[in-house]
Amino acid sequence: MKLTKLDFYDFARELVASGEDVIGMSTGEPDFDTVSSAAEAGIEAIRAGQTKYTAGDGTPALKEAIKHKFLRDNELSYDLKQISVSTGGKQVIYNAMAATLNPGDEVIIPTPYWVLYPVMVAMCGGTPVFVKCHSKDGFALNSEALEAAITTKTKWLFLNFPNNPSGGIMDRKDLEGIAEVLRRHPNVHVMTDDMYEFLQFTKERFVSLAQVAPDLYDRVLTVNGMSKGYAMTGWRIGFAGGRPDLIGAMAKVQSQITANPCSIAQAAAEKALIASPDHVEGWQKIYIERRDIVIKALNNINGIQAETP
Ligand SMILES: Cc1ncc(COP(=O)(O)O)c(C=O)c1O
């Protein structure tokens, strides 16, 4: 049987359902329960009848909470016209590509990458261009390699650090190097996928590109979501901050496809984002323990060498 990545997810679930003791590792999904502030707010929203259509790209109340989150966690100031909410980070990224890509436009994707990126780019008529990240660099994107990949056709660079799947991160200095290159190429916009923001285990806090290089603010779409940091994969809420014209174009795409994300999930996300993310520290301890077990076990296999992400 030939299995694709998505088949793997279903296949593992079937095995678990039939009583097999297997762990599906194809999808990044916290096994923690949804943070309780969100769960309670979701139940409350149903009881309060918040079950109708909402504003197409997110309720003003959720956008306020996202504005607060961006400012609190990322020192980024976005007003409500600069914020878009979708059915998962997936849809945010897809909307941005659908709204901006023309045939022949190139999108630089550092490898290894989350499997959906090149597919989304291709579905929107763009051409993915891959730039290798290396284990010796901690899987960070090398600025010279980036510069060599940029052409006059480059429209977007995708950054995803902490990275799925490598676990690589880019610290302030790494991002400053990337910003230097981007300043020489004003045609390049950046989609920074910060979905794994809370899975950075270093002493230095996570930093995002627009935070490190405020002069590039207008060229950056900062993407994040509830799935990983709040264990809300099934609720399907993702969001982005960016230029109002881009955000407006993304809203138009969304309004023709799905319209608003689930009203109940939006109410839940709002409460979770307003609360400070204190749950993260406990989760990180558990993730670190698990990481260490897996890395040790992998390195005990003859012929496999795994760096600690
Ligand atoms: C790197 C990355 N970005 C975005 C997403 C999308 O997450 P969601 O659509 O659940 O918000 C995922 C999910 O696995 C991911 O791994």
Side-chain angles (χ1 to χ4, degrees), residues 200-206:
Q200 179 160 326
F201 309 139
T202 51
K203 278 207 186 79
E204 195 188 321
R205 270 182 54 86
F206 165 84

Side-chain angles (χ1 to χ4, degrees), residues 23-238:
I23 301 172
M25 300 187 87
S26 64
T27 321
E29 177 157 56
D31 62 343
F32 304 114
D33 287 334
T34 291
V35 291
S36 57
S37 57
E40 293 305 324
I43 293 166
E44 186 47 42
I46 297 174
R47 295 218 164 98
Q50 290 180 33
T51 51
K52 311 281 193 230
Y53 292 131
T54 73
D57 71 340
T59 62
L62 174 53
K63 288 187 180 184
E64 282 290 352
I66 292 167
K67 178 180 165 180
H68 172 75
K69 176 260 175 294
F70 274 136
L71 209 54
R72 177 192 62 206
D73 301 339
N74 313 115
E75 298 170 321
L76 287 172
S77 170
Y78 291 114
D79 68 34
L80 300 206
K81 283 197 304 295
Q82 293 178 279
I83 293 172
S84 188
V85 188
S86 300
T87 303
K90 255 180 199 168
Q91 193 185 12
V92 177
I93 302 166
Y94 185 84
N95 286 347
M97 293 307 111
T100 58
L101 287 181
N102 294 314
D105 284 346
E106 293 175 0
V107 177
I108 295 180
I109 303 176
T111 74
Y113 53 82
W114 180 44
V115 282
L116 265 81
Y117 289 154
V119 184
M120 285 192 194
V121 168
M123 281 168 78
C124 296
T127 306
V129 173
F130 300 105
V131 176
K132 264 195 179 161
C133 299
H134 298 278
S135 166
K136 67 173 171 47
D137 303 325
F139 287 107
L141 173 63
N142 174 285
S143 52
E144 282 161 25
L146 169 64
E147 181 120 46
I150 294 175
T151 72
T152 51
K153 292 183 182 159
T154 309
K155 186 164 265 177
W156 287 97
L157 160 68
F158 282 9
L159 290 181
N160 169 224
F161 298 95
N163 178 269
N164 174 11
S166 73
I169 60 167
M170 294 196 60
D171 62 19
R172 190 170 281 275
K173 203 160 149 274
D174 294 330
L175 288 176
E176 274 163 4
I178 298 299
E180 262 320 301
V181 174
L182 292 168
R183 286 183 190 112
R184 289 193 281 276
H185 300 278
N187 55 311
V188 184
H189 296 254
V190 183
M191 189 285 294
T192 166
D193 178 348
D194 299 345
M195 200 56 74
Y196 292 93
E197 162 177 18
F198 294 136
L199 270 78
Q200 179 160 326
F201 309 139
T202 51
K203 278 207 186 79
E204 195 188 321
R205 270 182 54 86
F206 165 84
V207 279
S208 194
L209 182 68
Q211 181 182 5
V212 169
D215 58 313
L216 300 180
Y217 174 86
D218 273 344
R219 290 164 58 187
V220 177
L221 182 71
T222 307
V223 176
N224 212 316
M226 306 307 292
S227 287
K228 322 294 174 174
Y230 294 83
M232 290 177 70
T233 45
W235 298 73
R236 314 301 307 126
I237 295 289

Side-chain angles (χ1 to χ4, degrees), residues 237-255:
I237 295 289
F239 50 84
R243 258 168 55 172
D245 56 347
L246 171 60
I247 294 292
M250 288 162 61
K252 279 189 189 154
V253 171
Q254 178 158 301
S255 77

Side-chain angles (χ1 to χ4, degrees), residues 251-272:
K252 279 189 189 154
V253 171
Q254 178 158 301
S255 77
Q256 307 308 322
I257 308 173
T258 56
N260 66 271
C262 167
S263 59
I264 300 151
Q266 288 190 72
E270 179 196 327
K271 286 289 168 328

